[in-house]
Amino acid sequence: MSRRVPILLLAAGVLFGGDAAAHDGPHAHFAPIPGAAPSKVDPARRAWLAGDHHVHSWFSVSYKASTDGKSPPEPIKGGDASNPITTNAKQAAAHGLSWMVATDHGGPDHAKLNREQAYPEVLKARRDTSGLLLFFGMELDTPGAEHSSVIVPRTPAERDTLFGIESGYNRRQPWPADPAWDTEARMVEALKHMGAIKAPPVVIANHPSRTATAVGVYGQVSPSELRNWNDAAPQVAVGMEGAPGHQAGGLKPDGSRDPEGRRGSYGRSPTLGGFDQMTARLGGFWDSMLGEGRRWWVTSTSDSHRHYTDGGNDFWPGEYSKTYVRAARTYDDVLDGLRNGRVFVTLGDLVSEVDVIVQTADGRKRAEIGGRLRVARGSDVTVVIRVRDPAGANFGGRTPEVRRVDLIRSEITGPVADRTSDSNPRARVEKRFGPGEWAKDGERIAMAYTIRNVTEPTYLRVRGTNGAELEPQPDPAGEDPWSDLWFYANPVFIDVAD
């Protein structure tokens, strides 16, 4: 049994009261992923920092076949993506990002190009745009799958670390092509290699359902595959793009609608409210992973190759899609936040802050996004949700408003017998909040809800929208991406003890 907490809680300062509620307090519990060293940052230093972990530059090359048909093909700089890393970094900062990852994908001997040409440009971009935390990474041409972001920690060894990963495991690296490099077993080997690195990277599956042909009919990325990744290196393979890039696919260069264009370039099975079906389907794949108790997070990116005004399908980094990480403004803590799920994502700047606080009835223990709360069996817990809905116009010239916030709940039942499972029948919307059921203070809206008698391990997650759809619906060709906006927060887990 559950109930909404009365708005009288305002008087006690529960909804809008004080910095302690707004930031990680002394009782906030974040349980680091096994095998990952916990951050030593004072939680009070953390704030929501927007970023993008999937951005291409002119080092995402195309290739020209050799004239003799025997020699390796020639890389054509700017052939697949058009902008220098320095330009991407400046645009990211101009569109409100605090961090970004340079992620070019490869081809024959691309590891050498990344090491000798892309890395020096990363160093220049760091000097030119000093306010931006710029990670060196890549979009791995994933063995046995499609693509994934590899985010390398900033260390003196970052260039060599990435070279070792790309030269050893990128499926398109060898010439002539070698089918043995394109197997799931090789990806598992790659993840184990990455997990053994002293400062391990983070790997996030990109656009996981882009090759799906229908809902639940997956292509190059399958549920069992992602489970195998997470099992092989749970501190490395930590999640997937909830909202893919290429969201300007339905726009022409003049900003008018392209009736044939698709959000995300999802030409077969469309996105749902701009999100991949693996995330957007209530009780679908993401909920099945969380229902096992897996710490499996979602992100949102631009996948920027070429801006739509230049004939591409893309927005600039931060122009439309943002991944917010609760972190101190350091490389290590941003990566720690991604690794440990202190993350929410939003499209179209619908929101700029999301806090989900799950606490015991006496308020003495609590956990926040990505965290874990331990309670006695039969306890009541209160969920406080706070969202900042920016008053100003977004980069589309719109001023969207949050119309609804959903609290989603499921019990955690443990590992599934069928590793191909993409469903969790126990996941449900616990409560839908509308304007009449939250308190508002300027740009901030807040709501609270009590869940009675928690007897099983549970997770809670939050999403919201500016629309009226109870569940996100398939995005039609030519849809205006600025009109259909959603945000998703990663879960909070509740452990139960006797």
Side-chain angles (χ1 to χ4, degrees):
M1 180 178 177
S2 309
R3 67 178 177 87
R4 180 170 61 89
V5 173
I7 297 300
L8 287 176
L9 281 173
L10 278 169
V14 173
L15 295 184
F16 291 122
D19 291 338
H23 302 284
D24 307 341
H27 304 295
H29 184 193
F30 296 99
I33 288 177
S39 174
K40 297 179 181 179
V41 168
D42 179 357
R45 292 177 53 201
R46 289 179 174 144
W48 287 117
L49 303 179
D52 188 336
H53 68 74
H54 187 181
V55 182
H56 294 267
S57 78
W58 55 6
F59 296 112
S60 287
V61 297
S62 62
Y63 284 87
K64 179 181 179 181
S66 63
T67 55
D68 60 15
K70 298 178 180 180
S71 303
E74 176 188 354
I76 307 300
K77 186 176 175 181
D80 187 60
S82 58
N83 298 299
I85 295 173
T86 50
T87 297
N88 288 335
K90 290 175 182 176
Q91 290 289 346
H95 289 95
L97 299 190
S98 296
W99 60 272
M100 192 194 92
V101 190
T103 53
D104 289 303
H105 46 40
D109 205 23
H110 187 269
K112 181 179 179 181
L113 184 147
N114 245 349
R115 181 180 63 181
E116 297 183 0
Q117 297 185 43
Y119 185 66
E121 194 164 288
V122 165
L123 298 181
K124 183 178 187 304
R126 285 173 177 168
R127 293 191 298 270
D128 291 351
T129 313
S130 58
L132 182 77
L133 301 175
L134 178 59
F135 290 88
F136 187 43
M138 71 170 297
E139 184 175 39
L140 185 71
D141 296 301
T142 309
E146 195 182 6
H147 294 125
S148 48
S149 289
V150 177
I151 311 170
V152 175
R154 186 178 178 185
T155 71
E158 60 186 346
R159 177 167 62 173
D160 292 338
T161 295
L162 189 66
F163 181 79
I165 295 167
E166 184 172 10
S167 63
Y169 299 101
N170 195 74
R171 62 177 160 82
R172 296 175 61 212
Q173 174 72 12
W175 176 264
D178 184 349
W181 284 56
D182 193 14
T183 66
E184 183 179 340
R186 192 171 187 89
M187 181 56 176
V188 168
E189 181 185 340
L191 289 166
K192 289 180 178 178
H193 164 79
M194 288 185 258
I197 296 171
K198 183 177 180 181
V202 162
V203 172
I204 297 172
N206 291 339
H207 38 72
S209 301
R210 189 167 69 177
T211 56
T213 56
V215 172
V217 184
Y218 301 106
Q220 291 178 261
V221 180
S222 69
S224 61
E225 195 165 21
L226 295 179
R227 286 186 168 92
N228 291 340
W229 293 12
N230 186 238
D231 286 347
Q235 80 279 31
V236 175
V238 300
M240 61 189 179
E241 276 184 350
H246 303 316
Q247 293 278 344
L251 299 178
K252 294 181 179 179
D254 63 0
S256 62
R257 307 262 282 280
D258 178 356
E260 303 299 322
R262 290 282 187 179
R263 294 174 73 174
S265 298
Y266 276 45
R268 301 173 213 181
S269 185
T271 51
L272 308 166
F275 279 73
D276 186 288
Q277 63 167 284
M278 281 190 166
T279 294
R281 289 172 54 219
L282 177 65
F285 173 71
W286 189 28
D287 282 315
S288 75
M289 294 287 274
L290 300 178
E292 291 187 78
R294 292 179 184 268
R295 295 166 66 76
W296 187 253
W297 321 120
V298 298
T299 61
S300 177
T301 74
S302 66
D303 196 357
S304 182
H305 286 66
R306 184 173 283 105
H307 198 262
Y308 75 91
T309 58
D310 291 328
N313 296 321
D314 307 322
F315 292 106
W316 291 113
E319 183 180 6
Y320 182 76
S321 179
K322 288 182 171 72
T323 294
Y324 279 89
V325 178
R326 182 177 283 285
R329 195 177 286 269
T330 69
Y331 284 90
D332 286 350
D333 206 47
V334 168
L335 199 62
D336 181 80
L338 286 168
R339 201 186 306 274
N340 289 290
R342 301 193 303 271
V343 172
F344 77 87
V345 300
T346 187
L347 302 180
D349 290 311
L350 178 60
V351 294
S352 59
E353 295 178 14
V354 178
D355 291 299
V356 182
I357 303 163
V358 183
Q359 59 191 28
T360 53
D362 60 10
R364 298 184 64 183
K365 295 195 299 181
R366 72 182 195 203
E368 301 182 26
I369 293 171
R372 188 181 300 274
L373 178 69
R374 188 173 180 87
V375 302
R377 191 178 307 275
S379 296
D380 299 344
V381 298
T382 296
V383 185
V384 178
I385 304 167
R386 290 196 314 276
V387 172
R388 184 177 292 275
D389 183 347
N394 59 23
F395 291 104
R398 316 287 181 87
T399 53
E401 294 186 359
V402 176
R403 184 168 179 175
R404 195 184 73 250
V405 174
D406 296 334
L407 174 64
I408 294 169
R409 173 186 180 184
S410 175
E411 289 69 39
I412 297 171
T413 55
V416 293
D418 178 7
R419 292 177 68 84
T420 69
S421 173
D422 70 343
S423 66
N424 175 0
R426 299 191 73 172
R428 69 272 191 191
V429 176
E430 177 74 13
K431 175 65 180 176
R432 298 188 193 274
F433 298 91
E437 298 172 289
W438 61 51
K440 188 171 176 62
D441 180 13
E443 294 183 334
R444 301 169 72 196
I445 59 177
M447 58 222 79
Y449 187 82
T450 292
I451 299 176
R452 300 291 190 191
N453 189 29
V454 177
T455 60
E456 298 178 75
T458 299
Y459 69 85
L460 302 168
R461 63 181 180 89
V462 168
R463 70 180 181 192
T465 181
N466 70 327
E469 297 173 349
L470 293 183
E471 293 298 322
Q473 297 301 302
D475 298 321
E479 182 179 50
D480 172 20
W482 298 103
S483 66
D484 181 19
L485 305 177
W486 290 77
F487 72 85
Y488 286 72
N490 278 289
V492 181
F493 296 95
I494 303 173
D495 292 334
V496 173
D498 292 315

